[in-house]
Amino acid sequence: MFRTLLALLLAAFLSAGPGWARPPRDDEKQSLLAKVEEFKSAFGANDMGHVFGMMPPRVLDYVATASGASVGELQKQMQAAWADVLKTVTVESFTMDADGAQYRELEDGTPFALLPTETTMSIDKDGHKQRVVARSQTLALLDGSQWYLVRIDEPKQLTVIRKVYPEFENVELPKGTMEALN
């Protein structure tokens, strides 16, 4: 009887899969809070090299390979593209709300988080200023023991995430919105 009970318990443990999902531990939550503060500081200082370095290496490798560039070249291209954006766009405010994080779990139990993110910008188009607010969720994903932050408000971004991290294939992720303010 003991052997039968032990066998049933072992079978239940081995077949549990997603049933053994776990919320993020306190140290993981603290690590994410620190990562968000680091991101906000780098973004506020316009340190795009640091910001891009907070993307998952697997994503950077995928995009670099797809574009035929090295990761270093890709980061330089992204910095140049951001500099071009700033010629016509002024970021008025930026918030990423780690306290409002919505923690979820992948099928294998790995935690991830969605962070409410809002950017208010002024866009200069042919001498006419248009203010807009972009509202989205930033995906915080745990790869190993490291948190990485990824924008997911555009279909291309979601496609890359799902190619590099197939465990997100069936995860519904929210779309971003953009609203004109004037």
Side-chain angles (χ1 to χ4, degrees):
M1 170 113 160
F2 178 73
R3 281 185 160 171
T4 304
L5 188 58
L6 186 59
L8 287 173
L9 185 61
L10 183 60
F13 176 76
L14 293 175
S15 64
W20 291 90
R22 64 171 182 82
R25 299 182 314 260
D26 285 342
D27 65 316
E28 290 171 330
K29 286 183 178 181
Q30 290 304 315
S31 176
L32 177 56
L33 290 172
K35 181 67 70 170
V36 169
E37 289 306 312
E38 180 184 348
F39 182 94
K40 291 190 310 190
S41 177
F43 188 80
N46 204 25
D47 183 355
M48 291 302 121
H50 194 90
V51 167
F52 297 137
M54 297 178 81
M55 292 173 56
R58 289 166 52 182
V59 169
L60 290 172
D61 289 341
Y62 175 85
V63 174
T65 300
S67 68
S70 70
V71 171
E73 292 168 334
L74 176 65
Q75 287 180 320
K76 287 179 186 174
Q77 291 170 4
M78 290 190 300
Q79 287 175 336
W82 182 249
D84 283 345
V85 165
L86 292 180
K87 291 177 184 174
T88 57
V89 175
T90 302
V91 176
E92 295 179 6
S93 67
F94 173 81
T95 58
M96 184 182 293
D97 183 9
D99 292 330
Q102 180 184 60
Y103 291 97
R104 294 190 189 172
E105 298 162 351
L106 295 169
E107 286 183 6
D108 69 358
T110 303
F112 68 96
L114 296 172
L115 308 166
T117 306
E118 183 175 293
T119 309
T120 302
M121 302 165 275
S122 175
I123 302 168
D124 185 356
K125 186 156 184 151
D126 301 323
H128 300 287
K129 295 223 182 232
Q130 173 68 52
R131 291 184 70 235
V132 296
V133 61
R135 294 182 182 93
S136 63
Q137 300 289 319
T138 297
L139 173 63
L141 62 88
L142 196 57
D143 192 339
S145 62
Q146 179 74 34
W147 285 106
Y148 294 99
L149 304 175
V150 185
R151 287 185 46 211
I152 55 167
D153 55 333
E154 294 178 13
K156 284 186 207 177
Q157 295 159 335
L158 284 175
T159 298
V160 169
I161 286 296
R162 290 181 170 141
K163 283 186 187 231
V164 175
Y165 293 95
E167 56 269 35
F168 280 94
E169 185 63 39
N170 296 318
V171 175
E172 188 172 331
L173 297 169
K175 295 179 180 166
T177 63
M178 191 167 294
E179 175 188 350
L181 297 177
N182 60 354

